[in-house]
Amino acid sequence: FNSLNHDMTLAEFKFIWYMEYSHRMWGRVVGLAYILPAAYFWHRGWLSRPLKGCVLALCGLVCFQGLLGWYMVKSGLEEKPDSYDIPRVSQYRLAAHLGSALVLYSASLWTGLSLLLPQHKLPETHQLLRLRQYAHGTTALIFLTALSGAFVAGLDAGLVYNSFPKMGERWIPDDLLAFSPLLRNIFENPTTVQFDHRILGIASVTAVTALYLFSRKIPLPHRTRMAVTSLLAVACVQ
């Protein structure tokens, strides 16, 4: 309000306040949905020793995620007196909050599916090993792409260029390496952040497509083939 939105009305403030409030309340509900059933199952003796480790790790991730959210809000907006840039939450803290949420979600899904679906006993062929390694690499690339999206959001980098595949009239914009030292550009230069996100997005879709084409050469169970096909479909929609 002091720096930018001088004419904000009370109704407009309530709108963003309720968005933030709903997010906090939903996060607390998620925490209770993890911790209360986990404590009940543990008390009833329904958890095996390995599963107890998984449950503790997941509950720890829930608490860590909440702690990161608290720290991000507590640290406030980054004001830059020497700049015309608007005050905003640090893109580093935003990326950390999103990254931990993705890890928590993925770990939850993996644990749940491991319990619900019996593991396929497949022969450890060279092709299957390569497919597994390639799938892990693709996962890491997609995770990195999502994190770069947090930097785009944190810096409003999506507003810099609105043309594709070129950025303005050029394939490589002039201000790509405008900041010094050079490493700052990757995390703080809106042009570079948008450029990197585009490249990572294209690389992710390419990797998913290659994973799908490679999987077609290997005899796989129906469930695995359906997962790879679904991955390609979601990548295209994204």
Side-chain angles (χ1 to χ4, degrees), residues 176-189 192-193:
L176 193 67
L177 301 176
F179 288 19
S180 181
L182 286 178
L183 191 61
R184 275 187 62 207
N185 290 281
I186 299 174
F187 305 106
E188 298 180 15
N189 184 341
T192 313
V193 166

Side-chain angles (χ1 to χ4, degrees), residues 44-122:
R44 298 284 294 185
W46 293 349
L47 303 179
S48 63
R49 188 178 181 87
L51 195 55
K52 284 182 178 179
C54 288
V55 166
L56 284 176
L58 289 172
C59 290
L61 275 172
V62 169
C63 295
F64 178 69
Q65 174 69 1
L67 186 65
L68 265 180
W70 169 82
Y71 171 67
M72 187 170 70
V73 174
K74 182 71 174 176
S75 58
L77 303 175
E78 287 197 333
E79 298 193 51
K80 303 172 184 176
D82 57 339
S83 170
Y84 290 104
D85 198 8
I86 64 172
R88 64 178 85 245
V89 172
S90 165
Q91 67 272 25
Y92 296 102
R93 292 190 278 271
L94 192 64
H97 194 47
L98 175 65
S100 64
L102 289 172
V103 170
L104 173 60
Y105 178 78
S106 301
S108 303
L109 186 63
W110 183 274
T111 304
L113 290 177
S114 299
L115 293 171
L116 291 171
L117 302 174
Q119 186 175 3
H120 287 300
K121 300 296 183 182
L122 300 175

